[in-house]
């Protein structure tokens, strides 16, 4: 059974930092396409960053220069280092994964339950 578990969310003042973690389990392949999405109240879910099976990363313009996505040394783990946080970064952050580029691009992703990030100004 595939499971994704996020952790690391919390409350922080503007300008602060948080590091989110995601652990994916139940996959037969240990080279996943993974990424982070977020959803603020009243807004649609938006893509934040993704990393492919070779470690290549793409970051949304809204967080470029402040957020960094990386994979951990443990199998199918991923991190989102968030620096210089702003109030507009407040959202539920979700981890997503897929076993192929085609599945990822088609939106056929597995999702975690999310971890809340609250940034106060």
């Amino acid at each position: 059974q595939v499971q994704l578990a996020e952790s690391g969310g919390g409350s922080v003042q503007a300008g602060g930092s948080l590091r989110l973690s995601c652990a994916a389990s139940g996959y037969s392949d240990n080279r996943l396409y993974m990424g982070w999405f977020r959803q603020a109240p009243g807004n649609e879910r938006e893509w934040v960053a993704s990393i492919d099976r070779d470690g290549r990363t793409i970051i949304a313009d809204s967080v470029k220069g402040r957020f960094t996505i990386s994979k951990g040394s443990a199998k199918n783990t991923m991190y989102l280092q968030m620096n210089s946080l702003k109030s507009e970064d407040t959202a539920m952050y979700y981890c997503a994964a897929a076993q192929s580029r085609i599945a990822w691009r088609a939106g056929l992703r597995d999702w975690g339950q999310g971890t809340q990030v609250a940034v106060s100004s």
Side-chain angles (χ1 to χ4, degrees):
Q1 181 180 358
V2 168
Q3 286 187 322
L4 286 86
E6 304 96 336
S7 61
S11 298
V12 64
Q13 289 190 330
S17 298
L18 284 172
R19 188 193 196 203
L20 305 184
S21 300
C22 173
S25 60
Y27 290 96
S28 58
D29 190 341
N30 65 351
R31 298 181 69 214
L32 300 176
Y33 290 81
M34 301 182 76
W36 292 96
F37 292 74
R38 67 185 182 185
Q39 187 168 19
N43 290 356
E44 294 186 352
R45 187 174 296 187
E46 65 170 341
W47 167 76
V48 175
S50 53
I51 185 166
D52 71 10
R53 53 177 53 185
D54 295 318
R56 290 175 293 219
T57 63
I58 309 175
I59 307 289
D61 287 343
S62 59
V63 302
K64 193 172 293 181
R66 300 188 297 119
F67 290 12
T68 303
I69 186 172
S70 61
K71 283 194 174 179
S73 56
K75 175 182 173 181
N76 291 337
T77 57
M78 176 181 63
Y79 303 102
L80 185 69
Q81 178 66 45
M82 306 186 295
N83 298 328
S84 301
L85 282 161
K86 304 176 181 180
S87 57
E88 51 261 44
D89 296 318
T90 295
M92 184 72 78
Y93 283 72
Y94 297 91
C95 169
Q99 295 195 68
S100 72
R101 183 185 299 276
I102 292 175
W104 179 265
R105 291 183 172 179
L108 301 175
R109 309 179 186 112
D110 300 305
W111 296 91
Q113 294 297 309
T115 185
Q116 181 68 45
V117 171
V119 184
S120 58
S121 57

